[in-house]
């Protein structure tokens, strides 16, 4: 019998979106047609599409209130739904724009997306609805400079160290942590005043201590389905040194990360369920999409660092390849608020994901340089081959991110941000790391990666953070 066709619009063309596209195309139940709304020619995603457009506008059409996106969606006959990958278009209302032309999305509407686009909104929401997991915090807006200074240098000085957070989306560059970015309360106050002058809104919050973990949950406003817990490595260089990045790599284990407890996961799930309901209560909109919670294991249990309103990048590269259930169903059931009817299964494996990034990343990346690929090696290591030969779900998955194909030469070139993500998958964590390291060798060019992600030393360092 012929499989039903599902037509899906995919917005964006990074590593996260490549992993989304691959998970969709793996569907056994449906023939999936992907329609890409992209801003670069990522050849490996394009391979998976039925059609695509390259849109040159910033943030995928935010500049024109998503007119080009609406036009593209309307040009696809019988489009089933859209998936919006990145935070910027979600925060700017891409989902609302598509609804105006009758297209539903797997992603939250603008109001519900405030969970990511306004850090103050989220902190206030937890407080108002008496949801556990908040550190001490206070929001400030323009006009409250004197109060801000007094709060930082007097009120909290003897009580706790603090973190300054720009309220809005800053691509990971709007957070300043005491001891990491500034030493004294007075220095922190100066940074806070600077940010307030620029952005008009910020949060001051208590600095928490402990290892961090990500819990991504698929949400429909009523039900959440958690993914395996994952840990990111944000610093650019080995040993957790250097500037913050979008994430240099991510790890997961069978069952759970070794440096957190089952109780921590249960706490994070309860917080996420309560926050989902509070979002509905507060905004009137159901949260449909991914509630990606960044948590810290503190001596007082799991505390919330932040929510993102989308899949993590690279977290999606670990989580989606482990999905055993049908990805189309997962996203469509979420859109139709039927997640309670779905049982979702994951392969219970370890994953080690590493991003190859351009030399100079993140501050001064080389661009447009050529990347060489040993495709034969990648094919040899692939999960697909290993699974076909042995029936064991293990091997390597590769995701292209900020790379593009030169239209004239056909060469693969660097776009300037994180370039290629490789993921080792295995029952055994050490083997997963070895697989990722082998796959890295398939690429040549002015690139670097973090050798230590997945190492014993780093795991021990995370264990040592447990207060
Ligand atoms: P965010 O953009 O909120 O995820 O913050 C970026 C990073 O800053 C986090 O991954 C943490 O390492 C750190 N951070 C944020 N908030 C806190 C906090 N309250 N206490 C300690 N570290 C924090
Ligand atoms: N991995 C960090 C992020 O997606 O925000």
């Amino acid at each position: 019998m012929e499989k039903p066709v599902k037509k899906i619009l995919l917005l964006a063309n990074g590593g996260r979106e490549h992993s989304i596209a691959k998970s969709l195309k793996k569907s056994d139940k449906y023939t999936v047609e992907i329609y890409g709304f992209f801003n670069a020619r990522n050849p490996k995603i394009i391979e998976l599409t039925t059609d695509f457009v390259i849109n040159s506008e910033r943030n995928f059409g935010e500049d024109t209130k998503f007119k080009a996106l609406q036009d593209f969606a309307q040009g696809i006959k019988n489009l089933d739904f859209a998936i919006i990958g990145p935070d910027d278009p979600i925060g700017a209302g891409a989902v609302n724009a598509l609804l105006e032309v009758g297209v539903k999305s797997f992603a939250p509407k603008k109001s519900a997306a405030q969970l990511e686009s306004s850090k103050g909104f989220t902190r206030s929401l937890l407080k108002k609805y008496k949801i556990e997991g908040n550190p001490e915090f206070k929001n400030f807006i323009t006009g409250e400079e004197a109060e801000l200074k007094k709060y930082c240098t007097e009120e909290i000085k003897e009580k706790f160290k603090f973190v300054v957070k720009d309220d809005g989306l800053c691509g990971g560059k709007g957070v300043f942590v005491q001891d990491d970015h500034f030493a004294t309360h007075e220095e922190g106050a100066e940074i806070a005043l600077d940010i307030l002058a620029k952005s008009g809104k910020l949060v001051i919050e208590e600095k928490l201590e402990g290892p961090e973990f990500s819990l991504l949950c698929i949400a429909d406003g009523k039900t959440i389905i958690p993914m395996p817990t994952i840990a990111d490595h944000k610093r650019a260089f080995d040993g957790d040194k250097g500037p913050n990045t979008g994430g240099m790599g991510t790890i997961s284990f069978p069952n759970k990360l070794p440096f957190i407890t089952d109780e921590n996961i249960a706490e994070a799930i309860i917080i996420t369920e309560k926050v989902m309901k509070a979002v509905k209560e507060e905004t009137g909109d159901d949260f449909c999409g991914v509630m990606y919670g960044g948590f810290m294991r503190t001596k007082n249990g799991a505390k919330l660092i932040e929510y993102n309103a989308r899949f993590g990048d690279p977290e999606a590269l670990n989580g989606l390849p482990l999905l055993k259930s049908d990805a189309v169903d997962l996203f469509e059931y979420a859109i139709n608020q039927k997640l309670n009817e779905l049982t979702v299964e994951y392969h219970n494996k370890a994953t080690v994901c590493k991003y190859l990034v351009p030399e100079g990343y993140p501050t001064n990346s080389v661009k447009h340089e050529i990347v060489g690929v040993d495709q034969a090696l990648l094919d040899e290591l692939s999960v697909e081959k290993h699974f076909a030969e042995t029936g064991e779900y293990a091997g390597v998955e590769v995701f292209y991110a900020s790379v593009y194909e030169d239209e004239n030469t056909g060469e693969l070139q660097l776009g300037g941000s994180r370039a290629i993500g490789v993921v080792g998958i295995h029952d055994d964590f050490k083997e997963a790391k070895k697989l990722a390291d082998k796959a890295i060798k398939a690429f040549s060019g002015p690139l670097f990666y973090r050798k230590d992600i997945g190492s014993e030393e780093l795991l021990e360092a995370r264990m040592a953070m447990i207060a």
Side-chain angles (χ1 to χ4, degrees), residues 119 123 135 163 165 172 175 177 205-209 212 234 244 296 305-306:
K119 291 184 190 286
R123 288 287 178 226
V163 179
K165 294 185 172 182
V175 177
V177 182
E205 64 186 43
E206 174 192 0
K207 180 182 174 183
L208 301 167
E209 310 271 0
E212 289 180 49
K234 288 207 164 88
N244 267 330
M296 202 174 258
I305 297 290
E306 63 162 358

Side-chain angles (χ1 to χ4, degrees), residues 87 90-93 108-125 167-169 201 275 279 282-285 287 306-309:
D87 50 353
I90 292 175
K109 283 199 245 174
K110 190 173 176 169
S111 54
Q114 286 180 88
L115 211 48
E116 173 164 9
S117 63
S118 169
K119 291 184 190 286
F121 169 85
T122 302
R123 288 287 178 226
S124 300
L125 190 79
D167 186 76
L169 296 175
K201 216 170 170 191
V275 169
V279 166
E282 190 68 13
T283 69
D285 281 328
F287 189 105
E306 63 162 358
Y307 272 111
N308 296 311

